[in-house]
């Protein structure tokens, strides 16, 4: 990156460090931080949306829909994350390819499952083998977002379901007394008030989601933990201009600081949000705020 | 109608032309120098990368490199995430039941034990090896206590940290580490010849690719370019063809 970096052996410690930390390999690590943040930014709203849908379905008066919502939450919450990530992603990918195969290659005559091989026609591959590598990376990233969203959506659904039931019954009865329909009462009374009950559970989920991002590597994405392990491993002078011993401890220490700082920041932001949401609510927090203002 | 047939024929011809320029996705581990590793620039590098690129050039294929964890390198091949494994994988009967191998592009390579002292008793104690390798299998069969790790680097760290008495791995992987350790690490006992040589893994159903790669490997063996590549990455003493 810098001109002086062409001959690392001649450099003093500080310059050497500067050159070392800006190698192309390290760029992979910095890039992976972006991937993790983007994953969080996309997964959180997607999971909330899925959770909201699941909770609404579970509350439905139409039994099959209610069963579906409840089954989604019960099944996904009960399966260990790691099993879900290993099984579900391959299954989902194969399902997509199978559907495309049926549509695009109706004349294909060989078996799709040959022993342990899964073979669809080249046009049905997802992404196509001819696509550049970034398309493959984006595809696995989106699959990862989808998987995370489904897993965390189930937890969020359960939290929201509980929060909807926690809104005092009297509020809904008053709404009905004013002649609001069930849907109107839900939209105008329950949804605006449920967040204060949901937030503690949701903020927990957000913390767990932050900590789960290293599972990305299971999905074939090179995340920050992969790069920390790769960069920290012993490098011998024959294969690198920057040989060093086992530095994994330092890289993992850096990750530790990153995760702690990130969760701390989240705590502060969520704390403020909670303060904002409790204003005027018939909860202990809301009451304290009212008294302090009076 | 005639026009239609002509267009169809032209398209069919273009189709076969496109097939000749097929993209083959090559799966590798990227953590096992000199076989394959990630260089300072962040790109895959090593003996197998140079070999793979040359094989693809000879076969008229476009090759894309994919880095994948060793643990899941075979499952991802059979489910079609990439088309070949070229990751220092020795040809064994167990692996041959699940995937197919091309002919070997490396002779059986010497494997060796490394520990903190040259004490033959160490290799009967606790020995570290990478999971699902011929080395792990050999340690388990030798009666020593096997300690498995998912990356080769962790096996070395285990010896340095005293968790294991010795590590068993390909000698070519160990030599640079022993050299760079400044006397901390040392080879124990004699080299061991293990495995049936290293080959490229392909799906059992993918016979066309296997034949193409076999032909390319044969041509590299015949004109001596494979031997030159082996000497470049593994040194003069490496077993040649």
């Amino acid at each position: 990156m810098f001109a002086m970096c062409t001959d690392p052996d001649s450099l003093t410690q500080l310059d050497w460090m500067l050159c070392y930390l800006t190698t192309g390999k390290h760029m992979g690590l910095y890039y992976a931080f972006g991937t993790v943040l983007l994953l969080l930014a996309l997964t959180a709203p997607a999971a909330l949306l899925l959770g909201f849908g699941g909770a609404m379905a579970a509350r439905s008066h139409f039994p099959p829909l209610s069963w579906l919502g409840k089954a989604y939450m019960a099944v996904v919450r009960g399966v260990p994350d790691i099993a879900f990530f290993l099984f579900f992603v391959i299954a989902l990918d194969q399902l997509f390819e199978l559907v495309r195969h049926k549509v695009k290659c109706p004349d294909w005559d060989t078996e799709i499952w040959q022993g342990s091989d899964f073979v669809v026609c080249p046009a049905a591959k997802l992404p196509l083998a001819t696509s550049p590598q970034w398309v493959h990376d984006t595809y696995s990233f989106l699959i990862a977002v989808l998987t995370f969203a489904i897993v965390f959506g189930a937890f969020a659904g359960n939290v929201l379901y509980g929060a909807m039931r926690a809104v005092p019954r009297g509020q809904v009865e008053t709404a009905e007394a004013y002649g609001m329909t069930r849907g109107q009462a839900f939209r105008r009374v329950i949804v605006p008030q449920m967040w204060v009950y949901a937030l503690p559970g949701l903020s927990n989920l957000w913390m767990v989601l932050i900590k789960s991002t290293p599972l990305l590597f299971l999905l074939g994405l090179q995340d920050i933990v992969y790069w920390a392990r790769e960069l920290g491993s012993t490098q011998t002078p024959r294969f690198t201009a920057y040989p060093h011993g086992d530095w994994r401890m330092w890289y993992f220490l850096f990750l530790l600081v990153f995760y702690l700082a990130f969760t701390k920041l989240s705590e502060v932001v969520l704390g403020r949000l909670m303060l904002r949401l409790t204003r005027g609510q018939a909860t202990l927090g809301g009451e304290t705020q009212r008294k302090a203002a009076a | 109608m005639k026009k239609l047939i002509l267009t169809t024929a032209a398209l069919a011809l273009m189709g076969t032309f496109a097939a000749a320029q097929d993209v083959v996705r090559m799966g590798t581990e990227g953590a096992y120098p000199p076989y394959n590793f990630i260089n300072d620039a962040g790109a895959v590098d090593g003996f197998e990368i140079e070999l793979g690129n040359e094989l693809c050039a000879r076969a008229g294929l476009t090759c894309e490199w994919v880095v994948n964890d060793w643990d899941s390198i075979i499952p991802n091949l059979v489910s079609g995430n990439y088309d070949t494994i070229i990751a220092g994988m020795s040809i064994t009967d167990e692996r041959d039941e699940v995937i197919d191998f091309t002919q070997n592009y490396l002779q059986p390579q010497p494997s060796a034990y490394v520990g903190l002292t040259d004490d033959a008793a160490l290799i009967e104690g606790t020995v570290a090896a990478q999971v699902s390798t011929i080395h792990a299998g050999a340690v388990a069969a030798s009666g020593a206590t096997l300690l498995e790790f998912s990356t080769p680097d962790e096996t070395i760290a285990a010896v340095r940290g005293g968790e294991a008495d010795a590590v068993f791995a390909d000698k070519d992987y160990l030599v640079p580490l022993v050299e760079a350790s400044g006397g901390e690490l040392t080879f124990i006992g004699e080299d061991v010849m293990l495995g049936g040589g290293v080959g490229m893994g392909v799906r059992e159903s993918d016979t066309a690719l296997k034949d193409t790669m076999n032909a390319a490997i044969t041509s590299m063996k015949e004109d001596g370019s494979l031997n030159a590549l082996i000497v470049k990455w593994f040194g003069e003493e490496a077993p040649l063809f």
Side-chain angles (χ1 to χ4, degrees):
Chain A
M1 187 161 188
F2 303 105
M4 64 182 181
C5 296
T6 44
D7 184 17
D9 291 337
S10 64
L11 294 173
T12 58
Q13 274 188 330
L14 195 67
D15 287 346
W16 187 92
M17 218 40 173
L18 194 63
C19 288
Y20 173 67
L21 290 176
T22 51
T23 55
K25 211 174 174 182
H26 275 82
M27 293 303 157
L29 173 69
Y30 309 141
Y31 183 74
F33 275 102
T35 310
V36 167
L37 294 179
L38 187 65
L39 176 90
L40 288 171
L42 291 179
T43 304
L48 206 56
L49 213 64
L50 266 176
F52 197 82
M56 272 179 43
R59 276 172 56 89
S60 167
H61 282 205
F62 179 56
L65 194 61
S66 160
W67 294 333
L68 187 76
K70 284 179 177 156
Y72 163 57
M73 290 193 264
V75 171
V76 177
R77 286 197 311 147
V79 176
D81 282 1
I82 194 154
F84 199 80
F85 274 73
L86 284 177
F87 160 76
F88 184 73
V89 176
I90 291 185
L92 192 68
D93 182 48
Q94 293 196 348
L95 179 71
F96 287 160
E97 289 187 352
L98 195 62
V99 170
R100 277 167 61 94
H101 179 82
K102 295 276 181 229
V103 175
K104 297 204 169 200
C105 313
D107 310 327
W108 192 259
D109 51 359
T110 55
E111 289 283 322
I112 294 177
W113 279 279
Q114 303 179 13
S116 51
D117 296 5
F118 178 76
V119 189
V120 290
C121 64
K125 290 299 279 181
L126 236 164
L128 293 174
T130 45
S131 315
Q133 186 58 31
W134 68 266
V135 176
H136 287 268
D137 291 341
T138 312
Y139 176 74
S140 9
F141 179 78
L142 291 178
I143 289 271
V145 170
L146 186 61
T147 315
F148 269 99
I150 289 174
V151 171
F152 282 86
F155 287 93
N158 201 48
V159 169
L160 292 175
Y161 183 65
M164 286 170 189
R165 294 166 68 105
V167 173
R169 178 75 194 133
Q171 304 259 351
V172 183
E173 274 171 10
T174 312
E176 279 165 0
Y178 272 101
M180 289 188 201
T181 62
R182 210 177 116 82
Q184 281 173 330
F186 179 72
R187 280 193 305 276
R188 296 178 187 173
V189 176
I190 295 186
V191 173
Q193 292 195 79
M194 70 175 189
W195 297 107
V196 69
Y197 304 103
L199 197 64
L202 290 180
S203 64
N204 251 347
L205 268 186
W206 169 251
M207 297 292 180
V208 178
L209 176 63
I210 294 176
K211 292 194 305 169
S212 307
T213 48
L215 287 174
L216 270 178
F217 190 54
L218 289 179
L219 305 180
L221 284 154
Q222 286 160 12
D223 76 318
I224 46 183
V225 175
Y226 164 81
W227 281 111
R229 203 170 64 177
E230 170 66 32
L231 288 161
S233 66
T234 312
Q235 307 288 332
T236 55
R238 207 185 287 184
F239 306 112
T240 171
Y242 305 92
H244 60 72
D246 190 351
W247 283 5
R248 279 179 304 169
M249 197 180 91
W250 303 112
Y251 281 93
F252 281 110
L253 202 64
F254 177 63
L255 289 195
L256 184 96
V257 172
F258 167 75
Y259 276 115
L260 273 179
F262 196 46
T263 45
K264 179 71 201 164
L265 181 76
S266 304
E267 250 177 58
V268 172
V269 172
L270 288 166
R272 289 201 182 154
L273 191 63
M274 189 68 193
L275 222 55
R276 176 94 180 71
L277 285 175
T278 41
R279 193 178 299 161
Q281 288 287 338
T283 61
L284 189 62
E287 187 65 10
T288 320
Q289 279 188 20
R290 190 183 63 81
K291 278 185 182 152
Chain B
M1 191 64 203
K2 211 174 201 174
K3 210 171 196 175
L4 191 69
I5 291 168
L6 271 176
T7 337
T8 323
L11 275 175
L13 268 175
M14 275 166 71
T16 48
F17 179 71
Q21 282 294 312
D22 263 347
V23 176
V24 173
R25 291 167 57 76
M26 317 268 273
T28 192
E29 187 194 8
Y32 205 54
Y35 294 85
N36 54 76
F37 60 98
I38 314 275
N39 64 15
D40 285 340
V44 283
D45 203 346
F47 166 73
E48 285 171 327
I49 287 33
E50 233 180 279
L51 173 74
N53 287 338
E54 177 62 26
L55 290 176
C56 288
R58 285 181 189 225
L61 301 166
T62 313
C63 284
E64 284 263 12
W65 291 93
V66 184
V67 175
N68 196 94
D69 223 14
W70 175 259
D71 268 353
S72 58
I73 206 162
I74 291 182
N76 274 316
L77 174 76
V78 295
S79 70
N81 288 353
Y82 37 79
D83 307 306
T84 69
I85 296 173
I86 172 160
M89 189 177 269
S90 293
I91 303 167
T92 64
D93 293 340
E94 290 86 359
R95 288 176 183 146
D96 213 6
E97 280 171 18
V98 187
I99 58 173
D100 258 359
F101 284 99
T102 62
Q103 58 173 312
N104 60 330
Y105 56 77
L106 278 175
Q107 300 281 24
Q109 299 285 301
S111 298
Y113 288 95
V114 160
L116 297 178
T117 52
D118 184 5
D119 176 1
L122 288 179
I123 63 175
E124 280 146 30
T126 306
V127 178
Q130 191 182 8
V131 69
S132 327
T133 55
I134 49 171
H135 304 102
V139 171
S142 77
T145 311
L146 172 65
L147 203 55
E148 286 181 302
F149 292 93
S150 61
T151 61
D153 181 65
E154 285 165 306
T155 61
I156 309 286
V159 172
R160 287 205 162 111
E163 224 178 313
D165 298 320
V167 48
F168 189 46
D170 277 311
K171 192 171 185 187
D172 295 299
Y173 170 70
L174 296 169
V175 167
L177 289 160
V178 172
E179 274 173 13
S181 73
E184 185 197 4
L185 297 174
T186 173
F187 284 105
I188 305 172
E190 298 283 308
D191 294 353
V192 187
M193 295 308 278
L194 217 55
V198 176
M200 190 189 289
V202 292
R203 278 184 293 277
E204 294 205 317
S205 53
D206 214 349
T207 44
L209 183 63
K210 183 179 155 186
D211 295 341
T212 315
M213 286 300 178
N214 266 334
I217 294 172
T218 305
S219 91
M220 282 191 76
K221 277 181 178 170
E222 277 168 2
D223 67 10
S225 54
L226 183 57
N227 282 343
L229 211 54
I230 292 173
V231 169
K232 176 183 169 191
W233 286 96
F234 296 99
E236 298 287 345
E237 287 142 50
L240 299 173
F241 289 99

